Amino acid sequence: MGTFDLSLPELKKYQGINPKPVDFEEYWDRGLREIDTIDPQVSLIPAAYHHPTMECFELTFTGSHGARVFAKYIRPKHYTGRLPAIMRFHGYASASQDWTAHFGYACAGFAVAALDVRGQGGRSEDVGGVRGNTLNGHIIRGLDDPDPDRLFFRDVFLDTALLTRIVASFPEIDEGRLAAQGGSQGGALTLACSALSNIQLAAPAYPFLSDYRRVWEMDLAKNAYAELTDYFRHFDPLHDREEEIFTKLGYIDIQHLAHRIRSKVHMYTGLMDMVCPPSSQFATFNKITSPKKVILYPDYGHESLPGDSDTTLKWFIDELL
């Protein structure tokens, strides 16, 4: 097996190196209290897309800082009893995919809510409002604002929790049978959702947004992480603020949320992933204390992993239906 990262025994012990802010727990407790106070003003409108066995809806709600957040919501047209539900999250700068991309889950008997991350390729709003640069990416959005509550991904993580609460409140949904799934950014949001809401199963693939300092020290702050290098080059070329910057990024580092996860977790990792290196993924995985397993693809990188979709759907069916 080729490798460019730690050996597999080392990966299984690795605990991450990105610093954790001292007030991290209060930071996220405050965020959850904030969304407790939001009137989400939920709108659920039948979509223009029609299907003989599925009902498709445009779901919109108000998230933190007043943004209107969009998700596709799909449920089987004919069902008995209450439905389990799956929250699905997409990759960086993308969107919630076509309606048909979610029909495999709906055909199996699940309701599906597929989020559009605010300000990316879909319909959710990015209301902005931070001080400092917004150079070219969402990881660094808010780094120069003195208020860490203005970090962009704080709002996105809270959107996942609020979406889950909203879907769980629908009369057709069984709030005790909820799952989350996604890859890359979607993998990170799957884990954030699990840490910040009541999810029973989580299936993240090669999660992004983990152990930023490790990514940078491996000289892999490129591709999806390129804005980290760009930020230092433009705004801290001598790295005088390096500790401060990585510590602030620690608020939105999913490894520090991992201990809050209570769901069962199946994570998919390609050991040749040079976008989200395996050690950054294991930094999060190793901190999860709930039942978990990792499915390894020794020859694969940050790409489609054969069989992962089938395996995830079968797991969800076995556990929730």
Side-chain angles (χ1 to χ4, degrees), residues 19 213 239-248:
R213 185 171 233 155
H239 282 243
D240 294 327
R241 297 169 49 225
E242 181 181 316
E243 193 67 21
E244 170 198 338
I245 289 165
F246 282 118
T247 300
K248 195 164 187 178

Side-chain angles (χ1 to χ4, degrees), residues 143-158:
L143 263 183
D144 289 335
D145 197 297
D147 181 2
D149 286 1
R150 305 302 299 189
L151 286 166
F152 175 85
F153 270 108
R154 174 187 182 270
D155 291 331
V156 178
F157 289 3
L158 292 175

Side-chain angles (χ1 to χ4, degrees), residues 194-195 199-202 260-265 288 290-292:
S194 301
I199 293 286
Q200 283 71 54
L201 302 179
R260 292 182 175 230
I261 294 172
R262 296 294 175 263
S263 63
K264 296 179 181 179
V265 177
I288 297 170
S290 57
K292 63 184 179 180

Side-chain angles (χ1 to χ4, degrees), residues 11-166:
L11 288 173
K12 291 180 177 180
K13 296 177 181 178
Y14 179 68
Q15 292 296 310
I17 58 174
N18 200 87
K20 179 180 181 179
V22 294
D23 62 341
F24 180 89
E25 302 302 336
E26 170 53 28
Y27 179 85
W28 284 106
D29 289 342
R30 184 171 67 249
L32 291 173
R33 290 195 301 270
E34 177 185 325
I35 62 173
D36 285 342
T37 68
I38 291 174
D39 176 3
Q41 301 177 328
V42 176
S43 171
L44 193 64
I45 299 172
Y49 191 87
H50 297 286
H51 188 274
T53 64
M54 305 293 158
E55 292 183 303
C56 302
F57 298 89
E58 296 181 352
L59 169 61
T60 311
F61 62 92
T62 298
S64 54
H65 297 115
R68 291 296 284 173
V69 180
F70 176 83
K72 292 182 171 75
Y73 179 66
I74 304 160
R75 68 189 180 206
K77 189 170 287 187
H78 305 291
Y79 60 90
T80 57
R82 299 170 76 187
L83 296 166
I86 301 171
M87 315 307 140
R88 301 197 72 199
F89 304 109
H90 62 75
Y92 199 26
S94 187
S96 55
Q97 300 180 284
D98 291 344
W99 295 97
T100 54
H102 311 289
F103 282 177
Y105 290 102
C107 285
F110 295 92
V112 181
L115 183 75
D116 277 354
V117 171
R118 54 175 75 192
Q120 295 190 6
R123 292 171 52 182
S124 295
E125 288 184 330
D126 174 12
V127 293
V130 302
R131 291 179 57 188
N133 84 90
T134 56
L135 186 59
N136 64 359
H138 286 162
I139 297 172
I140 64 167
R141 178 75 63 84
L143 263 183
D144 289 335
D145 197 297
D147 181 2
D149 286 1
R150 305 302 299 189
L151 286 166
F152 175 85
F153 270 108
R154 174 187 182 270
D155 291 331
V156 178
F157 289 3
L158 292 175
D159 288 343
T160 71
L162 190 50
L163 173 68
T164 304
R165 292 185 187 185
I166 290 167

Side-chain angles (χ1 to χ4, degrees), residues 97 105 117 159 190 218 236 249 254 289:
Q97 300 180 284
Y105 290 102
V117 171
D159 288 343
T190 293
M218 291 181 71
D236 188 24
L249 287 170
I254 59 169
T289 59

Side-chain angles (χ1 to χ4, degrees), residues 222-242:
K222 51 194 73 172
N223 299 311
Y225 283 108
E227 60 210 71
L228 296 178
T229 296
D230 291 341
Y231 183 87
F232 277 115
R233 285 174 57 85
H234 288 284
F235 302 108
D236 188 24
L238 301 182
H239 282 243
D240 294 327
R241 297 169 49 225
E242 181 181 316

